Amino acid sequence: ALLGTGLGHTGAEAEGFGQDARTSPPVAVFNWTAQLVEETYTNITQKCWEFFVDLMRNVTASELCEWQVISRPYSFLQACLEGWADHLRYGYPNALAEQYIFQSHHRYFHNCTLEHQVYFDPPEDVLLAMIIAPICLIPFLVTLVIWRSKDGKAQP
């Protein structure tokens, strides 16, 4: 009832949200109980998610990690979650919005990091050698400098 038909059409999404904000009485928002606001936000976020899923149907598997392709649906999801939270004075970020963001990453973008090389710590024996080698080299270099300076000849 609150969303109207704004979520169904890409050209009308902003109009649908704006129209609802203009037609709902401002006093009603302040008189809502916290439970009613949470229930309303839960229903609206579900509609935001459903519209995001609908937009993502147009994205092929090979395009899932291309920001130019997924930025519009992803940005819409984020704006929808944040905008309605602000409109309902629910607070953002919140646990429900984070759940939908995590769900989007898990469902659509979980393989995107595999394209970039992931760095791990080296094994402990290699790490230990990399730490101890310079430490052992320092006394040798100090000894060499002292020995060379005791020669007594002027350095050019």
Side-chain angles (χ1 to χ4, degrees):
L2 287 173
L3 292 176
T5 58
L7 287 176
H9 307 287
T10 56
E13 63 204 28
E15 295 171 6
F17 290 142
Q19 182 180 14
D20 290 325
R22 287 190 304 262
T23 58
S24 60
V27 177
V29 173
F30 297 112
N31 291 333
W32 286 7
T33 64
Q35 182 180 3
L36 183 57
V37 170
E38 186 171 351
E39 183 179 323
T40 302
Y41 186 68
T42 301
N43 293 334
I44 290 172
T45 55
Q46 180 61 36
K47 296 295 182 188
C48 294
W49 174 255
E50 289 170 3
F51 189 66
F52 171 75
V53 169
D54 189 51
L55 289 174
M56 291 301 290
R57 284 190 184 112
N58 299 325
V59 179
T60 63
S62 62
E63 297 174 325
L64 282 177
C65 297
E66 295 180 30
W67 179 247
Q68 296 82 5
V69 177
I70 58 116
S71 66
R72 182 175 161 259
Y74 189 82
S75 297
F76 171 80
L77 176 63
Q78 188 271 332
C80 186
L81 296 171
E82 184 175 0
W84 278 104
D86 288 345
H87 179 73
L88 295 171
R89 301 178 193 271
Y90 188 66
Y92 188 88
N94 56 62
L96 189 57
E98 284 183 7
Q99 178 184 346
Y100 281 112
I101 296 295
F102 286 135
Q103 186 174 342
S104 72
H105 284 260
H106 179 71
R107 183 169 175 179
Y108 294 104
F109 314 122
H110 64 277
N111 287 329
C112 291
T113 56
L114 297 179
E115 290 180 7
H116 307 291
Q117 185 175 3
V118 179
Y119 297 105
F120 295 102
D121 287 338
E124 284 188 29
D125 53 341
V126 174
L127 186 61
L128 188 61
M130 292 174 68
I131 293 170
I132 291 178
I135 293 173
C136 292
L137 190 60
I138 291 171
F140 171 75
L141 293 174
V142 168
T143 304
L144 184 64
V145 167
I146 292 172
W147 179 66
R148 291 287 293 163
S149 66
K150 285 186 176 184
D151 189 13
K153 295 180 184 175
Q155 299 288 332

